[in-house]
Amino acid sequence: MTFTSIPVVDVHALVSADDSGRDAVVEELGRAAREVGFAQIVGHGIDPTLISGLKTAAERFFALPDETKMSVYIGTSSNHRGYVPPGEEVFAGATPDHKEAFDLSIDLPAGDPDYLAGNPLLGPNQWPELPDFEKPVGAYYDAVFGLGRVLLRAFAETLGEPSDLFDRYVTTPPAQLRMIHYPYDPSASDRPGIGTHTDYEMFTLLLPTAPGLEVVNADGDWIEVPYRDDAFVLNIGDLLEIWTNGVFTATSHRVRKVAQERYSFPLFFNVDYDTRVEPLERFVDADGPRYDGVTAGEHLFAQTAQSFTYLRNRLASGEIVLPDNARPLYSLGREAQRSAPAV
């Protein structure tokens, strides 16, 4: 279907003790996931003090000198955590993105067996030596990750499955929080702030501080996501598109014309690294599945390794290799469906 606006869904009935209206909210979420792939989530119950604490931490970190930020450069980590300087990330052959970021995920101890075994996405965060940074960022992460668990159950229900269908796959997932800073740039109107892409995980919960996000509809038209200071932007990722055999769509999106300074905080909700993701039987007809299955963490690592310069250099040198059957960048989502059949 061709959409021309982004639906707003009030999820109070999902996060409160009052179940009245729950079924209607689940239906709304399902409709947004099927028809748009995006929604604005209000009534989410996240404490505003957690949001303000995160924003303050981001402002303080990105105001540090470049050499201080580079002391926690993501390329010095073994599990993709830390500072991402401008130009480090490139989507699908596009120009380097005009942004900087700090990436973190579920903070596992240094003795975690997966980390010690060399898992490329699990383990401890690489925190900067900045007072009052780790605690507010971690508190925000935990709260929004909890909201993601609630929404994951609602997605299972709207698919006609038990609400706990996905729960067993969410123990220590590589669910990344990105703290992104788009500096003031008066020339930004003719280059992307972040290039066209889909998100690689289950879904994303994005907290922006200004307009700039656009999504593409089935006709190829770009639709602006209106900025709301009371909303999270929810969008479907690659894994839910595969799991539903394309019933849910990972709609392609971009950030454009970022003239003013802007911060953006997406949490990419994911399932555990070794989770096998294949189309659910109820969505596969006589013609068979439209998608090959993937291993959740391998898919995320493969897409990441193809878009970050430091990892692309390691691929080129043979230091690392892509997982078997790794998908190329930008092979899922509404734009990909318009141009080629899914595989």
Side-chain angles (χ1 to χ4, degrees):
M1 298 182 65
T2 298
F3 61 88
T4 58
S5 62
I6 308 302
V8 177
V9 181
D10 188 332
V11 298
H12 176 76
L14 302 182
V15 300
S16 69
D18 181 6
D19 283 342
S20 62
R22 176 184 174 83
D23 290 346
V25 176
V26 169
E27 183 178 347
E28 282 187 74
L29 279 173
R31 186 162 55 249
R34 289 174 171 88
E35 298 177 3
V36 183
F38 267 77
Q40 300 226 59
I41 301 299
V42 298
H44 46 75
I46 299 297
D47 189 337
T49 61
L50 295 178
I51 294 173
S52 63
L54 175 75
K55 291 178 179 177
T56 298
E59 291 168 356
R60 292 175 60 239
F61 175 77
F62 290 115
L64 293 172
D66 289 345
E67 60 269 23
T68 304
K69 290 181 288 188
M70 285 298 291
S71 69
V72 288
Y73 172 50
I74 197 166
T76 62
S77 76
S78 60
N79 60 337
H80 197 64
R81 314 286 176 92
Y83 176 62
V84 182
E88 175 70 36
E89 191 174 8
V90 182
F91 285 104
T95 56
D97 286 334
H98 187 59
K99 70 174 190 306
E100 57 181 342
F102 182 83
D103 291 0
L104 63 135
S105 191
I106 185 168
D107 199 12
L108 300 177
D112 178 79
D114 286 322
Y115 175 64
L116 294 177
N119 187 289
L121 296 175
L122 296 177
N125 289 321
Q126 184 176 209
W127 295 107
E129 293 186 6
L130 182 65
D132 299 321
F133 181 82
E134 179 180 346
K135 184 175 179 180
V137 172
Y140 175 88
Y141 181 98
D142 292 343
V144 180
F145 187 82
L147 174 62
R149 284 187 178 274
V150 172
L151 295 174
L152 186 66
R153 286 182 148 240
F155 282 133
E157 290 180 42
T158 195
L159 292 171
E161 300 283 350
S163 62
D164 63 354
L165 172 69
F166 301 115
D167 287 1
R168 64 184 179 274
Y169 304 121
V170 184
T171 58
T172 54
Q176 184 184 66
L177 172 65
R178 304 203 75 189
M179 304 169 66
I180 305 175
H181 176 223
Y182 301 88
Y184 171 72
D185 181 6
S187 66
S189 59
D190 57 3
R191 70 176 297 185
I194 187 169
T196 303
H197 65 289
T198 59
D199 292 342
Y200 315 135
E201 299 86 351
M202 293 289 280
F203 57 86
T204 302
L205 287 167
L206 166 69
L207 178 72
T209 65
L213 181 63
E214 296 179 337
V215 304
V216 69
N217 67 16
D219 290 336
D221 299 324
W222 287 95
I223 309 300
E224 183 179 2
V225 179
Y227 171 67
R228 292 186 56 148
D229 63 6
D230 63 341
F232 284 93
V233 180
L234 166 72
N235 66 275
I236 300 302
D238 290 351
L239 297 186
L240 270 178
E241 179 173 321
I242 294 172
W243 237 325
T244 62
N245 205 35
V247 172
F248 287 2
T249 300
T251 302
S252 305
H253 50 284
R254 67 187 184 189
V255 174
R256 296 292 297 175
K257 300 180 180 178
V258 185
Q260 74 269 53
E261 185 177 37
R262 179 178 185 267
Y263 293 87
S264 179
F265 305 102
L267 186 139
F268 302 100
F269 194 93
N270 209 354
V271 289
D272 291 338
Y273 189 96
D274 292 327
T275 302
R276 188 65 184 169
V277 178
E278 296 177 324
L280 293 167
E281 184 176 344
R282 70 166 56 239
F283 300 115
V284 178
D285 57 24
D287 294 330
R290 298 184 64 241
Y291 300 83
D292 293 336
V294 298
T295 298
E298 290 182 353
H299 175 67
L300 173 57
F301 176 70
Q303 302 303 292
T304 303
Q306 293 175 81
S307 57
F308 276 75
T309 299
Y310 86 94
L311 289 172
R312 292 168 66 182
N313 290 339
R314 292 180 187 177
L315 285 171
S317 69
E319 182 181 348
I320 61 173
V321 296
L322 292 178
D324 292 340
N325 301 316
R327 301 183 68 101
L329 278 178
Y330 200 45
S331 62
L332 289 166
R334 193 175 301 275
E335 276 288 276
Q337 287 186 11
R338 292 172 65 238
S339 58
V343 294

